[in-house]
Amino acid sequence: MTHYDPWRRTRIPRSRSVRIPVRRRGEKAQLPIPHPGPRPSDQPVAPPAASPPAAPQTPPPNWQERYQQLQTEAAKTRERLQKRYAEETSHQVQEVIRDLLPVVDNLQAALAHSDAGDPEQLRQGVELTLRLFLSTLSRHGVTPIAALGQPFDPRYHEAIGEIADADVAPGHVARVLQEGYLHHDRLLRPARVLIAS
């Protein structure tokens, strides 16, 4: 069943109608009782989570103590790096020496057979030892400088003097007195040469 609402000019169901209490003379005004529902105060409140016990606060160290700590840590780091560098260097030197031992063995064998052997065989043995030695150096990045017949380059050549040679252009290397070597494109020793005049 519906009734007429003069303000909305529409018919609304009676179940949604609102009763307005009328106060009689001598009665106190009573407010309408709101629709019963859960109130915030009726809902159970979870107890607050127990906070962890606060750690005892230690006074911060002053700048002098902090500076001393940093100095100690830096000294330990420096010592550790120096020790590791020394170990790596020693390991690399051991590898080079280990590769040179066969050259020493060949030289000792050549000297042992020098008295009873043929001079031609001795020469061949020395040449074989030299090739072995150069190949060992090449494995470690050491290469000879090609100087003979090349234009004089003061970066890689050390001029000892001049020599007249019709087969070599002037200003070029006519003779190599001592071989020069590079290690990974860095100069180990310049080649000592004579320049064609």
Side-chain angles (χ1 to χ4, degrees):
M1 183 174 182
T2 59
H3 70 283
Y4 181 74
D5 186 359
W7 288 277
R8 296 190 180 182
R9 298 183 181 277
T10 57
R11 295 183 179 275
I12 58 176
R14 183 174 295 275
S15 60
R16 295 178 57 189
S17 62
V18 179
R19 291 181 175 272
I20 301 176
V22 179
R23 183 177 62 179
R24 294 196 178 101
R25 189 174 294 177
E27 292 182 353
K28 295 182 179 180
Q30 296 181 356
L31 297 176
I33 300 175
H35 187 270
R39 293 180 298 176
S41 60
D42 297 339
Q43 296 179 357
V45 179
S51 59
Q57 296 183 355
T58 57
N62 56 21
W63 67 270
Q64 293 178 346
E65 294 179 357
R66 182 57 180 165
Y67 177 76
Q68 188 67 27
Q69 292 176 359
L70 293 177
Q71 288 289 335
T72 305
E73 293 175 2
K76 291 181 179 179
T77 303
R78 183 168 54 253
E79 292 177 0
R80 184 171 63 253
L81 292 177
Q82 289 177 351
K83 182 179 179 181
R84 184 172 66 181
Y85 176 75
E87 291 176 354
E88 292 178 356
T89 304
S90 176
H91 181 68
Q92 293 176 357
V93 171
Q94 289 177 2
E95 288 182 357
V96 175
I97 295 175
R98 189 181 301 113
D99 290 341
L100 292 178
L101 291 180
V103 178
V104 176
D105 296 337
N106 289 341
L107 289 175
Q108 290 176 347
L111 288 175
H113 295 84
S114 61
D115 295 335
D118 186 8
E120 182 62 22
Q121 292 182 355
L122 178 62
R123 187 183 64 82
Q124 292 178 358
V126 172
E127 290 180 351
L128 179 62
T129 303
L130 178 61
R131 287 197 298 268
L132 176 62
F133 184 72
L134 291 177
S135 66
T136 302
L137 293 179
S138 178
R139 285 201 307 271
H140 292 279
V142 179
T143 55
I145 298 175
L148 186 62
Q150 301 294 325
F152 176 74
D153 189 348
R155 296 178 301 171
Y156 304 112
H157 305 150
E158 180 182 351
I160 303 302
E162 293 183 349
I163 186 174
D165 193 336
D167 297 333
V168 181
H172 287 60
V173 177
R175 189 176 301 173
V176 178
L177 302 179
Q178 188 179 59
E179 292 284 350
Y181 294 94
L182 298 174
H183 180 247
H184 296 297
D185 298 332
R186 298 184 63 181
L187 183 65
L188 284 178
R189 187 182 71 184
R192 304 183 71 184
V193 298
L194 293 176
I195 309 301
S197 57

